[in-house]
Amino acid sequence: MDPLTSALKVSASGLQAESTRLRIVSENIANARSTGDVPGADPYRRKTISFAAEVDRASGASLVEVQRLGTDDSDFNIEFDPGNPAADEKGMVKMPNVNILIEMADMREANRAYEANLQTVKQSRDLISQTIDLLRASQ
């Protein structure tokens, strides 16, 4: 397979993986304050994503794939909020194990990786277009 087409496949797999990563980070941020409905109920648990390299048999290129979507098993944060419906008899509420600073850093990293893959797609597309133009001009 042609190297430019392989570059497109690799970049497309990266775009898809980073898009999934951005969705997971967005879910975590959106649920950063989601508590349980009743006292003692567990709140939202932070989601995680793992990637793996997958070899494309047709092109021989190493593509990125989402290997696993999981959850972060770290402890929940405990806050004093006696007015919350999920508060126990002492007024303590289990809060999600989501750290907004970590999520924002993950989002920024995923966004930059997405942009890099998109730029590679654009460059590959331009090179393919220029190659076709050269082939037409030489006839």
Side-chain angles (χ1 to χ4, degrees):
M1 181 175 275
D2 147 36
L4 292 175
T5 306
S6 291
L8 282 171
K9 281 188 140 193
V10 170
S11 296
S13 73
L15 286 170
Q16 188 172 15
E18 293 303 334
S19 176
T20 303
R21 182 178 179 193
L22 284 167
R23 183 181 55 81
I24 295 298
V25 169
S26 297
E27 286 179 25
N28 288 340
I29 291 172
N31 289 294
R33 302 291 297 169
S34 298
T35 63
D37 294 335
V38 296
D42 284 346
Y44 176 82
R45 187 170 288 279
R46 179 178 181 262
K47 292 182 180 179
T48 60
I49 186 169
S50 300
F51 299 121
E54 184 74 31
V55 176
D56 180 43
R57 292 180 187 203
S59 65
S62 184
L63 309 177
V64 64
E65 297 286 330
V66 173
Q67 180 181 27
R68 188 173 81 84
L69 297 175
T71 56
D72 182 352
D73 293 331
S74 63
D75 293 335
F76 294 118
N77 301 319
I78 307 293
E79 291 183 7
F80 181 71
D81 185 5
N84 192 311
D88 62 13
E89 63 280 349
K90 296 177 187 172
M92 303 307 280
V93 180
K94 287 184 189 177
M95 299 302 292
N97 58 349
V98 176
N99 183 331
I100 294 294
L101 291 176
I102 290 172
E103 299 304 323
M104 292 303 290
D106 282 352
M107 182 178 280
R108 180 173 230 166
E109 183 182 335
N111 191 35
R112 289 194 177 171
Y114 189 92
E115 288 173 356
N117 281 302
L118 190 59
Q119 190 62 32
T120 303
V121 168
K122 288 178 182 178
Q123 291 294 324
S124 297
R125 191 183 64 209
D126 288 346
L127 286 170
I128 290 170
S129 180
Q130 289 175 8
T131 302
I132 291 170
D133 290 345
L134 286 172
L135 290 172
R136 284 184 189 157
S138 68
Q139 290 180 354

